Amino acid sequence: MANFKASCRDPTAQNPPNVSSSGSGGVCMMRNTWRDEQHPSFINFISSFLKANSFRLNFVPIAPDFIFNCGGLSVAIVFVTNWDGNNYLPTFSRVKKLKEQFAHLYIVVTLPTREQNDSFVHSSFKLWNGAWKAYICASSRHRDGL
């Protein structure tokens, strides 16, 4: 337990896994289809960044875009980069299903226009009653006066 990294440890874990002294900070699992939708240089950057921070990167067929696991704590991340206010139910259905599976789930939504931002806020309050706040909205302030 002396080699266990406290910054990564899940304090609620009953039986945390043994962490070797190999310098591994954790594992990042990336969804295959998400990887395939990105530019190869971006994937190389992510891989290098993770390696520099002692994370292994695995490509797997998972529902979230990323799962970070470090010392028994798993954090799932989903990226929504093409918000469609007219077809939001598939996105929210995916999030609802993942929310039931992961205690630590974060959704990163890019909203480059005021209309997309307004649509997202309206849709999320309508479906979630504003109760779930694990969304991280990334907007472009240089467009539409945001």
Side-chain angles (χ1 to χ4, degrees):
M1 194 81 159
N3 294 326
F4 201 76
K5 293 190 175 190
S7 63
C8 296
R9 187 173 176 272
D10 182 356
T12 62
Q14 294 294 329
N15 296 310
N18 291 331
V19 177
S20 70
S21 59
S22 65
S24 176
V27 176
C28 174
M29 294 166 273
M30 182 187 294
R31 184 170 58 109
N32 292 334
T33 53
W34 191 88
R35 174 201 59 200
D36 296 343
E37 295 168 353
Q38 309 308 313
H39 193 278
S41 65
F42 183 53
I43 300 303
N44 288 336
F45 168 77
I46 291 172
S47 178
S48 297
F49 178 81
L50 291 170
K51 186 175 182 179
N53 288 283
S54 301
F55 273 78
R56 290 189 330 249
L57 176 61
N58 296 329
F59 301 102
V60 292
I62 55 176
D65 296 323
F66 288 93
I67 299 174
F68 288 89
N69 185 288
C70 188
L73 174 68
S74 291
V75 176
I77 301 173
V78 172
F79 288 93
V80 179
T81 56
N82 295 311
W83 176 255
D84 181 358
N86 296 318
N87 190 25
Y88 58 85
L89 287 177
T91 300
F92 283 115
S93 294
R94 179 181 179 210
V95 167
K96 182 179 179 187
K97 203 177 292 184
L98 291 170
K99 184 180 170 199
E100 294 169 359
Q101 297 171 0
F102 292 94
H104 304 283
L105 173 65
Y106 297 90
I107 315 302
V108 178
V109 184
T110 57
L111 303 165
T113 68
R114 181 179 301 277
E115 291 78 20
Q116 286 178 315
N117 185 65
D118 292 347
S119 168
F120 174 77
V121 169
H122 176 73
S123 301
S124 63
F125 272 93
K126 185 169 138 184
L127 290 171
W128 299 104
N129 294 323
W132 194 51
K133 302 191 184 325
Y135 285 94
I136 302 166
C137 295
S139 63
S140 299
R141 295 201 179 273
H142 65 278
R143 290 191 207 164
D144 289 353
L146 289 177

